[in-house]
Amino acid sequence: MLEARGIAKAFGAHEVLSGVSLDVERGELVSIIGPSGCGKSTFLRCLNLLEQPDRGMIRIEGVEIDRDGPQKRWTRADEAQAHRLRAHVGMVFQSFNLFPHRTVLENVIMAPLAVKNVPRAQATEVARDLLDKVGLKGTADRYPLTLSGGQQQRAAIARALAMKPAVMLYDEPTSALDPEVAEEVLAVMRQLDHDGMTQIVVTHDMRFARAASDRVLFLDHGRVVEEGDPDVMFAHPSDERTRRFLRSVL
Amino acid sequence: MAMLLAVLPAHADGTLSWASDGQANVPYVFHDPADQNRLTGFEYEIVQALSRRFGMTPRFIQNDWDGLIPGLQRGLYGMVLDGIEMTPEHAEAVLFSRPYYVTAERITLRRDEPDYDTLEKLHGHVVGTIKDTLAERMLRHDPSITLRSYEEETNAYSDLRDGRLDAILLDGPIAQYYGQTQDDLKVVGAPIGRIAYGIAFAPGNHALHDRVDAALAGLIADGTLHRILARWGLWTPQMANETGDHSTPAVTPSAWDAYRAALAPRVGWRMKLDRYVGFIPLILHGAWLTLAVSALAMVLAVALGLLLALMRAYGPKPVVWAGTLYVEVVRGTPLLIQVLFIFYGLPSLGVRLSPFVAGVIALGLNYAAYEAENYRAGLTSVARGQMEAAIALNLTHRQALRLVIVPQAFRIVVPVMTNDFISLLKDSSLVSVITLTELSETYVRLSATYYDYLGPGLMVGAAYLVLGLPFVRLARWAERRMGRAISSR
């Protein structure tokens, strides 16, 4: 359902991604790990075109963006295609990025109202169900900054889910949280996995990556070094670099 | 509405529109000290008599002295009467009627001074006069004289009494009404030189000129002009010689007497209070105009400022440059120049605005540049993650700005914007240069009429405070209400 081929991205002279590919099946939970600066966040942000890849191809739910043609400029047509692609992708950020001037409920219904023209009553009903599901019953009318970090991140997940995405992207969703609070968020992600959601998680949490993932991708210097079953990779990393990285973080 | 009507072409509808500077312009055109809501003056009465003569309704338009002739040229009104000297320089800029008054320069001194009663005796002294007048040119001939040129005659006479001037050289009527009426001043010596006042028309407006000039000839011939001037105590042997009218009509100088009576110092707080109470309608009117101009200008500034800020923050290169250019030009030039340019300059390009609209636009365009900078600071302080989150939710760029970025930026700039509005309220006094009698102009007029800068000053100051206060309150409330979401932790 998601296919990324040869994604390359440079910031100026510095090449961050040098041809990263990934295939994700429906319902899979894929963790992307690697040392800081390995390009894992950039890769994730390329998947929903928050960063525009210099080369490569992305196809999600049949919507394809191909950057390998002669046209290198990011055109209006590309932007329109990105818009179509993002309709299938939800994203959760390390710093939550809730809209502080809107209540939690308004945060969740804003995009359905503005982008999909869902009737307000219907959007509100869906939003309340989602807030319920992520354990935020009773916070609908509060402003984001009155919530704890863990609550904010769960609200952000509910906000992304309100757009009914086919795949959810998480960019270090628990890095800004205390471990016990992080667990609330990870629990929600496990529940979603259980419900069949497709998820891609960039994370530093090796315990979560190993226990919850169907597959792990290890990135270093903008390349996929190793990819596979978490138990196999964590127990018997085949590449020296993976071994060194896991030793340093575990 | 009246302000919009003011720009209709002169005498298009059976009215005769004419302009003068009615601020403390005694005895030419001024607000009656006995009733500030009423205009009077010998020129005012001449216009009444002229209009009666050919069945038109006169409509008076207030304008600053400096703006009188430019306003004539841009067709704001048909003619100007304001003691305009028929000099060759003036004759190049306007079309003159025959003179309606001829007078001479007079010297005014403090009563305790020796009689410097000729130009020669003023040698080496500090002498005041009004700028751009015959008197000023006369005084320039003697380089030993320290010349002080004033905009308002009241200020000159104040300075003479306070010892800042040794003497004043000014036109006969001014010397009579400002010097002779004061116990501590004296008008000395023989009249000096010859000054003729003519009615000014736009060059080329021969139709109106010919009609008015003929009517003026009639007023002179049938003695109407004589009677008007006699009532003001202004009929002089010089006028008799000029007109050949040596008769003595049975007219008492009633207007002259009335003026002196009205000016007599009010004794007792009761009388003074009555006078101040009489100022209230004028101050209210000025306050209303100040508020209307400021509020509309602020609406324009807030809207245009946002547009400029968005242009500079998110636009493609040429749009960014255009926005930057606008902000730099507007912030780099004085507001006064912008006001004058929009009102007097733009008509050359075919854009004619009423004084009110021109005032609102000038202030609005000016403040937009400052608001744009405030917004820009606000926009950049909204975290980048907000835009990314909005895009990730598939909002368009435009929706992200409208729903997420701008509302947050707006909250950040509200306090700054309130301060700006208070400044704008005060800066709106600049529109007085384009004929709008707002609060500050009201103060100038009242204080100059009564030589009283204290009472009207306190009243007008209070009016500004009362105007500003609700906005300070409103802003605090809005800040609290909107800040709740962002600042409460």
Side-chain angles (χ1 to χ4, degrees), chain A residues 45 48 50 82-83 86-87 89 91 93 97-102 110-111 114-115 143 145-146 159-160 163, chain B residues 384-396 399 402-405 407-408 411 484-489:
Chain A
R45 292 158 58 83
N48 72 343
L50 275 188
H83 189 73
R86 285 187 198 116
V89 187
M91 190 166 196
F93 300 87
N97 295 351
L98 289 168
F99 306 134
H101 62 301
R102 297 290 188 99
M110 179 192 283
V115 179
Y143 283 93
L145 293 183
T146 66
R159 179 175 72 174
M163 290 299 278
Chain B
R384 206 178 66 137
Q386 292 287 310
M387 180 56 107
E388 290 189 343
I391 296 296
L393 283 168
N394 223 1
L395 267 62
T396 61
Q399 285 172 327
R402 181 166 57 82
L403 296 170
V404 177
I405 307 298
Q408 292 184 58
R411 281 160 173 76
R484 198 175 53 200
I486 298 178
S487 57
S488 55
R489 278 240 174 219

Side-chain angles (χ1 to χ4, degrees), chain A residues 166-236:
Chain A
V167 54
M168 287 282 283
L169 310 179
Y170 300 83
D171 190 2
E172 305 194 19
T174 57
S175 295
L177 302 174
D178 295 334
E180 61 271 35
V181 177
E183 191 46 48
E184 301 168 359
V185 175
L186 297 175
V188 168
M189 292 162 67
R190 280 195 208 94
Q191 180 60 44
L192 286 171
D193 184 46
H194 185 258
D195 296 347
M197 174 59 75
T198 312
Q199 302 181 91
I200 303 175
V201 188
V202 165
T203 185
H204 285 298
D205 187 334
M206 293 307 142
R207 232 157 35 90
F208 175 79
R210 181 169 186 174
S213 308
D214 298 306
R215 198 145 47 96
V216 173
L217 208 66
F218 175 65
L219 242 63
D220 194 16
H221 289 104
R223 288 175 199 284
V224 180
V225 174
E226 201 170 335
E227 175 180 1
D229 181 86
D231 284 327
V232 175
M233 195 197 285
F234 278 75
H236 311 287

Side-chain angles (χ1 to χ4, degrees), chain B residues 258-279:
Chain B
Y259 178 74
R260 279 192 299 177
L263 212 62
R266 298 272 172 129
V267 279
W269 61 271
R270 178 92 225 185
M271 306 270 273
K272 207 147 197 159
L273 198 67
D274 280 350
R275 178 181 280 174
Y276 286 161
V277 168
F279 292 169

Side-chain angles (χ1 to χ4, degrees), chain B residues 211-295:
Chain B
R211 260 181 102 179
V212 173
D213 191 56
L216 180 57
L219 294 186
I220 294 169
D222 69 8
T224 308
L225 183 66
H226 188 161
R227 282 192 297 277
I228 290 173
L229 292 172
R231 283 197 340 97
W232 286 94
L234 291 171
W235 186 261
T236 56
Q238 203 170 3
M239 272 305 284
N241 288 334
E242 293 281 341
T243 58
D245 177 356
H246 293 279
S247 66
T248 320
V251 175
T252 56
S254 52
W256 163 238
D257 292 339
Y259 178 74
R260 279 192 299 177
L263 212 62
R266 298 272 172 129
V267 279
W269 61 271
R270 178 92 225 185
M271 306 270 273
K272 207 147 197 159
L273 198 67
D274 280 350
R275 178 181 280 174
Y276 286 161
V277 168
F279 292 169
I280 289 175
L282 281 173
I283 289 178
L284 286 182
H285 183 264
W288 163 243
L289 192 57
T290 291
L291 183 63
V293 169
S294 306

